[in-house]
Amino acid sequence: NGFKCHCMSESHQRQLLLASENPQQFMDYFSEEFRNDFLELLRRRFGTKRVHNNIVYNEYISHREHIHMNATQWETLTDFTKWLGREGLCKVDETPKGWYIQYIDRDPETIRRQQEQERKKKQDLDDEEKTAKFIEQQVRRGLEGKELEKPVYTELNRENEEEKVTFNLNKGASTSIAASSKTSSVLGPNALKMVEGAVKRKESAHSSGQAKEKKKKSALDEIMELEEEKKRTSRRDYWLQPEIIVKIVTKKLGEKYHKKKAVVKEVIDKYTAVVKMIDSGDKLKLDQTHLETVIPAPGKKVMVLNGGYRGNEGILESINEKRFSATIIIDS
C-alpha cells in the first residue's frame, strides 16, 4: 500500500521492471562499483599498509553517495574481505581482533619503481665489492713494499796492508761525512765549510723527500674521496620534501584535483606525500608518481630536490626551456 501511494514517473517504473527482469545484471554492476570505490579508498588513504577492514569500511560509508553492501553480491564485510584475498587484490589475515587487509599495488609505475630500487640496491652491492677489492689491492701492495730484501752487512777487510786510504773533497755534496771529520783538522776551515754545506744539502733533500711522502695519499683517503664524490653526484629515485609546492597530475581523483596545486605537509616512507590543496584546503595522500614539481618565476625561491645540492635552497635566476634546465644561485 505504501508503494502504491507514491507518485512514480514512467521512467522509475520502467527501471523497476528492468531490474525485476534481470536482477543479476544490476547486482553485478553495483558489486563492481562497490569493489572499485572500496579499493580506490584503500589505495589512496592507506597505501600498502596493513589495516583493519572495518576502519576502511566505516570511512567508505561515511560518503553520502556510496553504494550499500546489501545491493552487492556480498552479504557481509567478512565475505567481501575473503573474496579480496581469493582474487589476489589484497593480502588478508584473520586475528583475534578481526580481519586485516593490505592493498597489493599492481600499478605499472609502482612495479617499475620497485624494479629500479632493486637494480640500485644491486648496483650499490657491486660498488661495495669493488671498494673491498680496491682495499685488498692497497693492502697487498703495502705488504709487498715491506717484504723488500734487507741489506746484508759484511766486515771491512783490508786485502793489502801497504795500500793507503785517501779522501777526495773536491766533489762537494758527494763527500763522505765520516772521511771529512777525520781530515778536517788537517785541511783547515775551508774543508770544514764544504762538509757542513754537504750535510745541509743532504738534510734538505731528506726533508723534501719526507714532505713528498706525506703528500702521497693513503688508500683510506682515496676511498673516502671516492665515496664523497659518489654522494655528491648521485641521484635518487625519490624527491619529495616538506613545504614544497607540487601539482597533481593523476586523473584518478577527478577533475576537481587534476592539474591543481598543493603544498606537501608530510613525507611518508620517502615516496608518499600528505598534501594540502591550495584552493580548497582538502588533504590528500598521494604517491610521488601522481605529483610533479612546480617551477616558480625567475627571482623566486626554489629548493634543489635531487643531485649534488639536494636539500639546498636558492634563487631561480633563469629558465632555459629548450634545454629543460634552469640557473639558480644557492644561498649557502
Side-chain angles (χ1 to χ4, degrees), residues 10-266:
E10 293 182 2
S11 61
H12 289 165
Q13 291 177 355
R14 188 161 53 251
Q15 288 177 359
L16 288 172
L17 288 172
L18 290 172
S20 62
E21 289 176 1
N22 192 358
Q24 188 62 39
Q25 178 183 356
F26 284 88
M27 183 175 288
D28 292 343
Y29 170 76
F30 289 135
S31 299
E32 185 178 357
E33 285 291 315
F34 175 81
R35 180 200 66 193
N36 293 339
D37 293 343
F38 187 92
L39 288 175
E40 178 62 23
L41 174 65
L42 175 63
R43 184 193 65 80
R44 189 177 71 249
R45 180 70 177 80
F46 301 98
T48 56
K49 291 184 178 179
R50 182 173 173 267
V51 62
H52 200 286
N53 63 349
N54 209 34
I55 294 175
V56 186
Y57 183 70
N58 287 333
E59 190 164 337
Y60 170 77
I61 62 176
S62 64
H63 297 281
R64 288 182 300 176
E65 299 178 357
H66 72 275
I67 295 175
H68 293 266
M69 183 172 283
N70 56 10
T72 67
Q73 68 187 52
W74 303 285
E75 294 182 2
T76 63
L77 181 60
T78 303
D79 293 338
F80 177 62
T81 303
K82 292 179 180 178
W83 182 86
L84 289 175
R86 288 195 301 270
E87 294 295 320
L89 298 171
C90 295
K91 294 179 182 177
V92 300
D93 61 296
E94 187 180 11
T95 67
K97 294 182 179 180
W99 287 86
Y100 281 81
I101 55 177
Q102 186 176 359
Y103 180 70
I104 300 174
D105 196 347
R106 301 186 185 278
D107 185 45
E109 186 64 26
T110 305
I111 295 172
R112 183 198 64 77
R113 192 177 69 231
Q114 290 174 351
Q115 291 174 348
E116 183 68 20
Q117 288 176 352
E118 291 294 328
R119 185 190 66 78
K120 189 174 181 301
K121 192 182 293 183
K122 185 176 182 299
Q123 184 179 354
D124 291 340
L125 290 174
D126 293 340
D127 291 341
E128 289 178 4
E129 290 178 2
K130 289 179 183 177
T131 305
K133 286 183 180 179
F134 180 73
I135 295 172
E136 188 179 346
Q137 289 176 358
Q138 293 292 334
V139 172
R140 192 184 300 115
R141 194 182 301 170
L143 291 174
E144 287 176 356
K146 290 181 180 179
E147 291 176 357
L148 296 173
E149 292 184 1
K150 295 181 180 180
V152 179
Y153 298 98
T154 58
E155 293 183 3
L156 182 61
N157 295 324
R158 194 172 184 180
E159 296 179 357
N160 189 357
E161 293 292 337
E162 296 179 358
E163 188 177 353
K164 295 180 180 180
V165 178
T166 59
F167 301 94
N168 188 0
L169 300 178
N170 293 331
K171 293 183 181 179
S174 61
T175 306
S176 172
I177 297 172
S180 63
S181 63
K182 289 182 180 179
T183 57
S184 60
S185 59
V186 180
L187 297 175
N190 291 332
L192 186 60
K193 287 180 181 178
M194 292 171 65
V195 172
E196 287 176 353
V199 171
K200 287 180 181 178
R201 285 193 295 272
K202 193 169 184 181
E203 286 178 352
S204 64
H206 181 66
S207 62
S208 64
Q210 284 183 341
K212 287 181 181 178
E213 287 179 0
K214 286 181 181 178
K215 288 180 181 178
K216 192 174 181 182
K217 296 176 183 177
S218 65
L220 184 61
D221 292 335
E222 291 180 6
I223 293 166
M224 289 176 67
E225 286 184 3
L226 286 172
E227 289 296 322
E228 287 297 324
E229 181 67 18
K230 181 181 172 185
K231 288 179 183 177
R232 192 178 68 81
T233 57
S234 63
R235 292 180 62 86
R236 299 178 175 89
D237 58 348
Y238 55 89
W239 52 266
L240 289 171
Q241 291 281 355
E243 298 305 323
I244 64 171
I245 297 176
V246 293
K247 185 186 289 183
I248 298 175
V249 294
T250 180
K251 294 182 180 179
K252 294 181 179 179
L253 303 178
E255 294 298 325
K256 181 181 177 182
Y257 300 114
H258 186 231
K259 294 292 183 181
K260 297 296 175 63
K261 294 180 182 178
V263 179
V264 177
K265 290 298 180 183
E266 184 184 356

